[in-house]
Each structure stands twice: as structure tokens, then as C-alpha cells.
Amino acid sequence: MQSAIPSIKGISSMATRQVLAELVAGFQQQSACAVTMEAVGGVDAAKRVQAGEAFDVVVLASDAIDKLIAAGHLQAGSKVDLVRSGVAACVRAGAALPDIGSEDAVKRAVMAADSISYSTGPSGVALARLFERWGIATDIQGRMVQAPPGVPVGALVARGEVELGFQQLSELLHVEGITVVGPLPPAIQIITTFSAGVHASVAAGSQQAERVHAMLDYMRSPQAAEAKQRQGMEPA
């Protein structure tokens, strides 16, 4: 009787879906292990882990991993920073490109847009804080559209539902029907670090733990850097 192929089951936020797909493919080429990574909205992923759903590994924004570790859902000391991701702006394909070359230019573009979209993730929270700091949050409140969890901001822009969208570059790269205007300028760039954590159900020292750690070692190795950059991210 043929033995089952060892497998790893994981969950991640949508922001890392593409880069993890590429990294998982690379890892599987050099290991005798199957990997299944499910990508959903980051808020939903954290809720499912909190509810007790079984995963071997979880990849979310760094602060979300910290909270899951503190609550005992992920193993203490298992956190591994994988990628750093910045925010970019997008418009519908064929639309005029706004100037976003400076902080003042981005502010003018936001004020001029009929509608602005942002995500439910950490970049969206930081963007809302930026608008508050600029003192324009109340002025644009009626024009702000938050994309539902798991729905790319770019999808709303592509359908013409929103004029100007902001989301992590990695989530905009593969959306059809939009033009990525470019990253936010350094003065206001929003960087999110995405990290992995090993689920508390994975027994320390077990073969499964060894497999998960081997995958995470690969994902943070120098040979994984090129894939991260291809997907609009940088090694953490």
C-alpha cells in the first residue's frame, strides 16, 4: 500500500496570494511535500484561526500574527517575517493618470477624485489615518468606498465603481482593467510586513513541524528574493 504524500495546509491574506503561490511552487520542486495555501481576506483568515480551524501555517500581517501568538493559536517563537509590501494607486485603464509624485500631489488627487477606495487590511487602516492627519477625512467621507474583505480594490476600479484606488502593489499587479499609477511617495508610503506563524496544533519536534519549518526556511532564503520582487514586494 502506497503511503500518503506528506502535506502542509496553510491560510493567508489575499495580499500574499501570488507571492506564496510562487514560493510554494519553488518549495514543492525541491521537497517531497504537497502544500495547499488558501487565500482569503486577512480579517476572515484571522477569525477562522481564532475559531479553531486547523492549519499548519498562517501568513498574515505582522501585527495579526502577534495577536494570534498572544492568544495561543500560534506557537510562541515561531514567527518568521517573509515580505515587506508597499501601497500603490490605481485608476481604470484608459483614465487620465493623476500626479502622485509628492505628498501634496497625492492629497490633491484624493481631493479631486469623485470616489476613493481602500482595503480592510492594515494598509487601508493606515490610509484612513493619513487622511485624518491631512484634515480631509470628513470632507471625503461620502466618497470613500471600502472594498469588502477578499475583494481587490482594483476590481472596483476596473468596473468603474471607484475612480481612484489605493492598495498594496502586490494586490494590484494582476488585476485586469486598471492602470497602476505608481507607488505612494516615500514621505507617506505605507509598508506592511507579512509574517508566518506555525499553528499551535503542530507538535514541536514532529515530522510535520520539520516540514513546515523547512518551507519557511525556503521562503525566507536568498533564492526566494526574486519571486518576492516579481510580485511587487521586498524580502523582509
Side-chain angles (χ1 to χ4, degrees):
M1 182 175 176
Q2 190 174 10
S3 58
I5 298 173
S7 63
I8 294 171
K9 181 183 178 184
I11 192 168
S12 76
S13 60
M14 293 297 291
T16 53
R17 179 172 61 94
Q18 295 287 351
V19 71
L20 287 177
E22 192 165 346
L23 293 177
V24 161
F27 173 70
Q28 289 182 136
Q29 285 179 354
Q30 65 176 44
S31 69
C33 182
V35 181
T36 303
M37 289 294 300
E38 183 180 357
V40 298
V43 174
D44 290 338
K47 285 180 179 177
R48 286 171 60 179
V49 176
Q50 290 163 350
E53 193 167 341
F55 297 99
D56 297 308
V57 63
V58 180
V59 181
L60 293 171
S62 179
D63 60 341
I65 293 294
D66 289 338
K67 289 175 183 175
L68 291 173
I69 290 174
H73 299 294
L74 303 180
Q75 293 178 15
S78 69
K79 180 182 174 184
V80 174
D81 293 338
L82 295 178
V83 290
R84 297 171 73 248
S85 178
V87 170
C90 70
V91 295
R92 195 176 190 184
L97 304 185
D99 177 12
I100 61 166
S102 67
E103 180 172 357
D104 285 342
V106 175
K107 183 177 179 180
R108 287 193 298 271
V110 168
M111 292 297 292
D114 289 336
S115 51
I116 308 103
S117 187
Y118 63 111
S119 74
T120 56
S123 65
V125 173
L127 196 69
R129 289 191 189 128
L130 176 65
F131 296 158
E132 288 174 4
R133 179 166 68 78
W134 282 346
I136 65 172
T138 302
D139 296 334
I140 65 173
Q141 187 173 3
R143 292 182 275 146
M144 293 293 289
V145 179
Q146 189 175 49
V151 176
V153 167
L156 303 183
V157 176
R159 293 198 293 262
E161 297 173 17
V162 176
E163 182 179 340
L164 181 63
F166 294 95
Q167 196 164 24
Q168 289 169 60
L169 175 60
S170 62
E171 295 196 70
L172 298 177
L173 285 178
H174 302 280
V175 178
E176 294 184 1
I178 66 171
T179 299
V180 177
V181 183
L184 292 179
I188 56 169
Q189 179 57 273
I190 299 163
I191 299 293
T192 301
T193 297
F194 287 94
S195 309
V198 181
H199 199 275
S201 63
V202 179
S206 66
Q207 286 188 323
Q208 187 67 356
E210 290 177 7
R211 285 189 280 266
V212 173
H213 287 296
M215 183 180 74
L216 294 181
D217 286 344
Y218 171 80
M219 288 184 172
R220 64 193 299 201
S221 68
Q223 68 189 108
E226 192 175 324
K228 295 173 183 179
Q229 289 161 351
R230 264 196 302 273
Q231 299 300 335
M233 297 180 165
E234 295 292 332

